[in-house]
Amino acid sequence: MTTNGRQQHISKQFDDALEDVRTKVLTMGGMVEQQLTHALRSLIEGNIDMATNVIENEIQVNTYEVNIDQECTNILARRQPAASDLRLVTAISKTITDLERVGDEAEKIAKMAIELTEKQGPKSYYIGINAMGTLVSHMLHDSLDAFARMDSKSAVEVAGKEPESDDQYSAILRQLITYMMEDARNISAALDAIWTARALERIGDHARNICENVIYLVEGKDVRHISIEQMEEVVADS
């Protein structure tokens, strides 16, 4: 094999390794999406079996994170990636951390679903939680879609929805505080509901983080800790 041929062979191996790890991130993302969907369904429907499955399947999410992280380490150790490829490996490493934490939050929701179902408390506040769950589920899905398409403009749009999840969390919190003040017997169930809403609010944060990773990957600029308007400027200037 000529030197040029050998370089092409090595290059193809490297490209294949990057594509493989990228595909695994999307597979992990799909698994986490399903975990969140089932956790929310178990809460709304009072399905303890579904909630238990979410808790048991969390180990699979953790395994994906460990395996992908190891692949990223191997790529960095064996190759000398160019700037754009290095950004991809870095973005992947950060994204799987956020996905693992979304999996943790989905597990918390499943545990709260079991608690609330067993307490058989009133479900009037589930409407707000369900609406917030729908919002952050869409944010998570769309952030992963932006990652798959390496679409920084879509990433900015999804990140822009994060304040809405914060607003919904605040509204749920006010409702539940009122609910506890009306009857002290509601305190235990309402506190569980608050923790559930808090988990959803954090999932919205992680979805935004994934969007920031996409923007960093595509634009080469760190957009953490800046406003949505500033993100839009970064993308518009590219």
Side-chain angles (χ1 to χ4, degrees):
M1 181 182 294
T2 65
T3 300
N4 185 56
R6 181 173 180 274
Q7 288 175 342
Q8 289 177 343
H9 177 65
I10 292 173
S11 177
K12 185 178 185 307
Q13 285 183 327
F14 181 50
D15 289 343
D16 289 345
L18 287 174
E19 183 59 29
D20 177 67
V21 75
R22 181 172 168 274
T23 299
K24 286 181 179 176
V25 172
L26 296 175
T27 301
M28 179 184 179
M31 182 183 300
V32 170
E33 280 191 79
Q34 185 179 64
Q35 285 282 91
L36 176 57
T37 297
H38 287 176
L40 289 168
R41 280 185 56 192
S42 69
L43 174 68
I44 302 304
E45 299 173 6
N47 190 326
I48 292 179
D49 289 339
M50 184 177 290
T52 301
N53 286 336
V54 170
I55 295 167
E56 292 174 349
N57 290 336
E58 169 61 13
I59 191 172
Q60 296 180 30
V61 175
N62 295 338
T63 299
Y64 257 98
E65 183 198 20
V66 171
N67 291 342
I68 295 171
D69 192 51
Q70 185 60 55
E71 286 196 38
C72 288
T73 300
N74 291 341
I75 288 172
L76 292 174
R78 296 175 182 177
R79 317 291 183 184
Q80 292 182 339
S84 60
D85 293 332
L86 182 59
R87 287 203 306 270
L88 174 59
V89 175
T90 302
I92 285 172
S93 181
K94 292 179 179 179
T95 296
I96 61 172
T97 297
D98 281 301
L99 287 175
E100 189 276 333
R101 289 174 181 169
V102 172
D104 288 343
E105 299 301 335
E107 181 184 24
K108 290 178 186 176
I109 294 170
K111 289 179 178 178
M112 290 299 101
I114 294 173
E115 289 281 337
L116 287 165
T117 299
E118 290 177 344
K119 289 172 183 174
Q120 296 180 339
K123 299 183 179 181
S124 59
Y125 47 75
Y126 284 12
I127 297 174
I129 290 177
N130 192 32
M132 185 177 180
T134 299
L135 172 63
V136 299
S137 294
H138 287 161
M139 287 180 62
L140 177 62
H141 175 81
D142 292 345
S143 67
L144 289 168
D145 183 62
F147 178 89
R149 295 186 290 111
M150 296 189 183
D151 187 339
S152 57
K153 291 183 179 179
S154 293
V156 173
E157 291 177 5
V158 177
K161 297 178 182 178
E162 190 263 338
E164 185 179 345
S165 70
D166 292 340
D167 291 342
Q168 289 194 10
Y169 171 67
S170 296
I172 292 170
L173 193 59
R174 288 193 298 270
Q175 179 190 20
L176 290 171
I177 289 173
T178 300
Y179 185 61
M180 288 187 286
M181 292 174 64
E182 289 175 349
D183 189 338
R185 292 172 297 181
N186 297 328
I187 291 176
S188 180
L191 286 175
D192 286 340
I194 288 173
W195 284 114
T196 299
R198 177 58 175 159
L200 291 173
E201 191 268 340
R202 286 174 176 166
I203 291 171
D205 291 342
H206 291 305
R208 172 172 170 149
N209 290 347
I210 293 171
C211 292
E212 292 173 353
N213 296 337
V214 173
I215 297 168
Y216 169 72
L217 169 60
V218 177
E219 309 295 342
K221 296 181 180 179
D222 190 338
V223 295
R224 292 175 296 177
H225 314 304
I226 67 174
S227 67
I228 296 298
E229 290 75 18
Q230 290 172 308
M231 284 188 194
E232 291 172 343
E233 291 176 3
V234 167
V235 173
D237 292 340
S238 63

